[in-house]
Amino acid sequence: MVMNQKVMRQTLLVLYFLLLSYNGVQGETKRYSELEDLELEKQLKLLNKPADKTIETTYGDLYDCVNFYKQPAFDHPLLRNHRFHPEMKPTLHRLKQSSGTSTTRGLSTIWLNGEGCPVGTVPIKRISKEDLIRQRHIPPPEDITFDVQLAVANNSEPKRKFKSSQGYKVAIARTQNDPNNKFAGATIATSLWNPHVEGQQHSASRLKIQKGSDIVQVGWRVDPVLYGDTKTRLFIHFQAGKIHCFNILCPGFVLVNTKIPIDMVYDTISQIGEASWEETMAIDRDLVNGNWWLLLEEDYKQIGFWPQRIFTELKSFATNVEWGGVAYSPSGVPGPPMGSGLFPIGNTGHEAYCRKITILNDKGKTIDEDKTTAYADNPNLYRVVDIPHWQAAKHQHFVLYGGPGETKQV
C-alpha cells in the first residue's frame, strides 16, 4: 500500500510537470511549485545585477546600468581572476584602417534619455520571471555538419554531405572546408528585415565563426521565445564545448560599450521595393591576447568581447565562417519566412542580402573571400545565391538569401 502511494505520488508529479509544458510564447501565466519558484528567483538574482541606474528604451525595455566589474560575465569560473577594465581597447588592424564614419541610424534614439548608460557601467536588459520560463524552451543550438564524402578532380573542394539539426533550415555561403584554415575574424553587412514568425519559430541572419565545437556568432533575429516579442533585434551567441547561450543569459561575453545593448531593437527595417537598411557587424580576434571582439557599424564600434580563456578550440584561429540566413520551427510546425520572405533572384531592393563578405587572415589583414560554397537545406522553402563579384568594387561579394518557408502564398 505504501509503495502504491509512492508510485501514485510520482505519477501525479510527472503529470503535474507535463501540464506545465509550454505550448506558446505569447501568453499564459504558469503556476510553479515553491521549489521551482525559488530556483527562478535564484537565477534572476544572478542575471539581474544591482544597478547604478535604470533606463528605458522607446520600445519599453528596461536596462540596468551595471557597474562594469559586476556584470554577469565575471560569474564565469574562468573569469573570476581577470584584469579586464572598462576602458579596454582591442589591438586590431581594421580599427587603424577605419575612416571613423558611419551611415548607421543613430542608435542613441532607442533610449528615452537619449544617451544610454553612464561611463563605467554597461546596459543589461532586465530579465523577468516570465522571460526565464519562456526561455526554457529555446531549442538546442543550430548544429550543421559538413562531412567530406569524396575528393573531386582539378583540386576543387571535395563534395560534402550537409546535415542540419532537426527544425533548422539554412541558406548560407560558407568558406571552404579545410582544417588548415586560419581565420582571425570576419565581417558582414546584413540587410535588416522582420519576417513573420509565431509561437516557437524564429528567423535570423547571422555571421558565424567556428572551430570544432567552439562557435561565436552575431546577427539580427526575430524570436518570440528568446525575446518575448516579434521585433527585429541584435543577437549574439557563443558555444564553448557543451556550454552555449544567447546574449548574456550565461556568463562569458564581456560588455564594454555604454550605449549599444546586445539585444536592442532595430528601429528601421527594410521594406520590399525600397532602399534596404543594413547593419555592419564584425567579429575579430585580438592580435595580442586572442580575445574575440564584437564590432558594429561602419566605424566598428567596440561592443565587447568573448575572452580567449573560455574557449578550447577558439583559443587559436577559426577554420570555418558562414554568412546568411537560418530559420527554425519545431517538429510538425511549418517553417517561417526567411529574410524578406522572397526567393533571391538578384534584386537587393526586394531580397535579403549579406555583403562585405570578408575574412581576416592569421595576420589580422582583411581579405575579400571569394572561394565560398553556397548551400540551402530545402530549395523549395529557402534559397541562396552566392555572387563573389557583384560589382567592380571592394567588398562587393554578395550573398542573397531567403524564401517564404511553408507560409501560404496569396
Side-chain angles (χ1 to χ4, degrees):
M1 183 67 177
V2 173
M3 180 61 70
N4 287 338
Q5 288 178 346
K6 183 178 180 181
V7 171
M8 180 64 72
R9 283 198 300 270
Q10 290 175 335
T11 302
L12 289 173
L13 188 61
V14 169
L15 289 173
Y16 172 70
F17 282 109
L18 285 173
L19 287 171
L20 291 175
S21 63
Y22 189 83
N23 295 316
V25 295
Q26 298 269 2
E28 306 171 13
T29 301
K30 301 291 190 274
R31 296 182 63 185
Y32 281 80
S33 69
E34 185 176 348
L35 185 61
E36 279 191 308
D37 204 54
L38 288 172
E39 181 60 32
L40 289 171
E41 292 293 342
K42 182 179 178 181
Q43 290 181 49
L44 287 174
K45 189 174 181 180
L46 285 172
L47 290 169
N48 293 326
K49 303 296 186 181
D52 291 1
K53 180 180 182 180
T54 297
I55 51 178
E56 188 176 357
T57 71
T58 53
Y59 296 94
D61 295 327
L62 291 178
Y63 283 84
D64 291 326
C65 298
V66 176
N67 183 287
F68 172 86
Y69 296 101
K70 296 179 181 179
Q71 63 179 295
F74 301 135
D75 290 335
H76 195 294
L78 297 177
L79 300 181
R80 286 174 182 165
N81 297 317
H82 68 89
R83 294 185 179 180
F84 304 140
H85 56 85
E87 292 79 29
M88 286 184 67
K89 302 291 181 185
T91 303
L92 304 171
H93 278 307
R94 80 161 77 241
L95 296 182
K96 299 174 185 177
Q97 300 164 355
S98 173
S99 64
T101 61
S102 176
T103 59
T104 310
R105 313 141 314 281
L107 290 175
S108 62
T109 60
I110 68 171
W111 300 113
L112 285 181
N113 70 352
E115 57 187 20
C117 285
V119 173
T121 68
V122 291
I124 297 178
K125 191 171 183 288
R126 179 84 59 83
I127 301 295
S128 69
K129 189 178 296 185
E130 290 72 23
D131 291 331
L132 290 181
I133 294 170
R134 191 183 63 251
Q135 289 163 1
R136 289 181 173 186
H137 301 276
I138 293 175
E142 174 194 357
D143 181 19
I144 300 175
T145 58
F146 298 82
D147 299 324
V148 175
Q149 288 189 304
L150 86 137
V152 294
N154 65 30
N155 296 320
S156 61
E157 189 181 11
K159 291 182 179 179
R160 291 173 290 160
K161 177 183 178 182
F162 298 82
K163 183 180 180 182
S164 298
S165 301
Q166 183 177 8
Y168 287 94
K169 294 291 182 289
V170 299
I172 58 169
R174 189 177 191 271
T175 54
Q176 291 191 332
N177 193 38
D178 183 348
N180 297 315
N181 287 338
K182 291 184 178 180
F183 302 136
T187 309
I188 185 175
T190 176
S191 56
L192 302 169
W193 296 90
N194 184 250
H196 178 77
V197 301
E198 298 178 350
Q200 292 178 279
Q201 298 173 331
H202 70 246
S203 190
S205 170
R206 51 102 179 99
L207 163 66
K208 180 179 179 182
I209 295 176
Q210 181 173 6
K211 182 178 182 182
S213 59
D214 286 357
I215 295 169
V216 289
Q217 55 182 331
V218 61
W220 60 257
R221 189 177 188 91
V222 183
D223 190 340
V225 176
L226 179 60
Y227 293 116
D229 59 36
T230 55
K231 297 179 176 66
T232 302
R233 291 179 180 264
L234 175 68
F235 86 94
I236 61 172
H237 176 267
F238 84 92
Q239 184 169 328
K242 295 181 179 180
I243 299 172
H244 79 94
C245 78
F246 289 95
N247 304 330
I248 52 172
L249 294 178
C250 70
F253 185 79
V254 179
L255 285 160
V256 300
N257 196 288
T258 63
K259 295 178 170 37
I260 303 177
I262 57 173
D263 38 21
M264 69 178 181
V265 175
Y266 283 106
D267 55 2
T268 45
I269 301 299
S270 303
Q271 303 294 327
I272 292 175
E274 301 179 5
S276 295
W277 290 94
E278 66 177 40
E279 176 71 289
T280 298
M281 307 173 179
I283 298 174
D284 288 4
R285 185 176 185 270
D286 194 299
L287 298 173
V288 174
N289 52 41
N291 297 332
W292 291 89
W293 279 83
L294 172 65
L295 312 170
L296 293 181
E297 304 186 25
E298 290 186 356
D299 57 353
Y300 301 113
K301 287 184 173 62
Q302 296 135 58
I303 309 303
F305 59 92
W306 292 275
Q308 181 197 47
R309 67 183 74 174
I310 71 172
F311 297 107
T312 301
E313 306 277 4
L314 282 177
K315 282 185 181 297
S316 59
F317 299 101
T319 55
N320 298 303
V321 181
E322 295 177 14
W323 303 262
V326 58
Y328 171 84
S329 61
S331 178
V333 176
M338 181 190 292
S340 69
L342 300 177
F343 288 126
I345 58 173
N347 185 338
T348 57
H350 290 74
E351 300 152 18
Y353 65 80
C354 306
R355 66 180 189 90
K356 290 187 180 178
I357 302 302
T358 60
I359 57 172
L360 301 184
N361 65 15
D362 57 354
K363 306 295 190 224
K365 298 291 183 66
T366 300
I367 305 294
D368 290 335
E369 178 57 33
D370 56 4
K371 295 179 181 178
T372 51
T373 299
Y375 173 72
D377 287 290
N378 187 337
N380 293 321
L381 306 182
Y382 315 107
R383 297 174 190 168
V384 60
V385 177
D386 188 12
I387 309 174
H389 303 288
W390 179 277
Q391 298 171 357
K394 193 174 183 181
H395 305 334
Q396 288 302 313
H397 185 156
F398 268 74
V399 174
L400 307 172
Y401 72 92
E406 295 172 282
T407 57
K408 293 181 180 179
Q409 301 298 298
V410 178

